[in-house]
Amino acid sequence: MQIHRSGTWLHLSRKEVGKASLLASLLLSIPAFYLALNETLSPYHDAGRWLYAAVTILIGVHLYVSRRKDAGQQRFLMVDFVIFAGALLSAWQYDPAWHAVEWLLRLVYCAIVFLRLATLLARHVAPHRLLQIAALALFLLAVAGEGFYLLEPKVQNYADGVWLAFLTGATLGYGDMVPSTPASRVFAVFIVLLGYALFSVFTASISAILVGEDEKLVRRELHADTKLLRAEIAALRAELKQALQSGQGGIDRSG
């Protein structure tokens, strides 16, 4: 029995390590993508390459841990391998000026990363988890603000970056600040998509809470009606039993 428990703990530990390394690699892929866009600023460009190297190591750990056949993990194994290959190629030394084909490949890679991250976080942003959704939205807003601060020349400080991220995610468009560079515009596309997704889940969560309260009220009323109905049935049974006993007694006396 002790060996079985130890084996189960080891299996769960490997599974959790794989999930943690995958989540870390996907999150690091986002700043790595935008840091590598800074072709004029060598420190940022090199930092992006080093982040891609870290992504390669982390996703490699995930692939190594998930090498055992598991139905839940085998579905995304090829996708994870594509992310691993893309991070490995991005960490390689290359010309900072991106060409059209490279832009297309990197955008496809970034879309795959976002979709894989969505599948990984889907269970944690269920409609009934309002606080988790709000915390995730604030985290993404903070990261997006830093992204616009690095990519958009018109943004002079971090607060303006957060403001532009909020305007972009909420699709308000006051016109005071707009993305002007290709990098910031690409970044804005993904922020808009994330904003739509989070807004939909957030409103669905509020609706689920309101509907849940109505369902609780209906259940209470049904429970009270059921108790009342049971009491009435019990009273009818008692009256019927008493009437039968009275009738039986009258028959006995007449006999």
Side-chain angles (χ1 to χ4, degrees):
M1 183 64 68
Q2 185 65 28
I3 295 176
H4 176 72
R5 290 181 179 177
S6 178
T8 303
W9 178 87
L10 180 61
H11 176 69
L12 292 176
S13 178
R14 290 170 60 91
K15 188 175 181 180
E16 293 300 324
V17 168
K19 286 185 178 181
S21 60
L22 176 61
L23 178 60
S25 64
L26 295 176
L27 292 177
L28 286 178
S29 297
I30 300 174
F33 177 85
Y34 295 104
L35 287 174
L37 286 175
N38 288 277
E39 56 187 56
T40 58
L41 299 176
S42 180
Y44 290 113
H45 183 75
D46 293 338
R49 291 180 55 242
W50 283 108
L51 279 180
Y52 272 125
V55 170
T56 304
I57 295 174
L58 290 171
I59 198 72
V61 171
H62 166 69
L63 291 174
Y64 176 77
V65 172
S66 305
R67 69 188 186 278
R68 296 182 178 180
K69 293 184 178 180
D70 188 351
Q73 297 176 352
Q74 290 295 322
R75 293 180 302 173
F76 301 105
L77 187 60
M78 184 58 66
V79 177
D80 296 339
F81 183 78
V82 170
I83 296 174
F84 171 80
L88 182 62
L89 293 175
S90 299
W92 202 264
Q93 183 66 38
Y94 54 88
D95 186 7
W98 291 7
H99 303 288
V101 176
E102 187 176 2
W103 262 105
L104 178 61
L105 292 176
R106 288 182 179 275
L107 287 178
V108 171
Y109 172 79
C110 196
I112 293 174
V113 169
F114 271 98
L115 290 176
R116 186 66 176 96
L117 184 62
T119 59
L120 192 64
L121 297 178
R123 67 184 62 183
H124 301 292
V125 292
H128 61 279
R129 297 180 176 178
L130 184 60
L131 293 179
Q132 289 87 338
I133 297 170
L136 179 61
L138 291 176
F139 172 76
L140 293 177
L141 182 64
V143 174
E146 181 65 22
F148 278 119
Y149 179 59
L150 294 174
L151 300 175
E152 176 54 49
K154 296 180 181 179
V155 175
Q156 301 299 323
N157 50 62
Y158 177 72
D160 289 341
V162 173
W163 175 244
L164 181 57
F166 174 75
L167 294 180
T168 304
T171 63
L172 293 176
Y174 287 133
D176 52 346
M177 276 190 291
V178 294
S180 59
T181 63
S184 61
R185 289 172 180 173
V186 172
F187 188 59
V189 170
F190 291 104
I191 296 302
V192 169
L193 295 178
L194 285 175
Y196 275 129
L198 285 176
F199 182 75
S200 300
V201 176
F202 191 80
T203 53
S205 178
I206 296 176
S207 300
I209 292 175
L210 296 177
V211 172
E213 292 297 326
D214 292 339
E215 290 180 351
K216 290 180 181 178
L217 180 60
V218 171
R219 284 197 296 267
R220 293 194 194 100
E221 293 178 351
L222 288 175
H223 184 66
D225 292 340
T226 303
K227 290 179 64 176
L228 181 60
L229 183 60
R230 288 178 178 177
E232 291 178 353
I233 292 175
L236 289 174
R237 285 179 176 177
E239 292 179 2
L240 180 59
K241 184 177 180 180
Q242 184 178 4
L244 290 175
Q245 290 177 352
S246 299
Q248 185 66 30
I251 295 173
D252 294 339
R253 286 193 296 272
S254 62

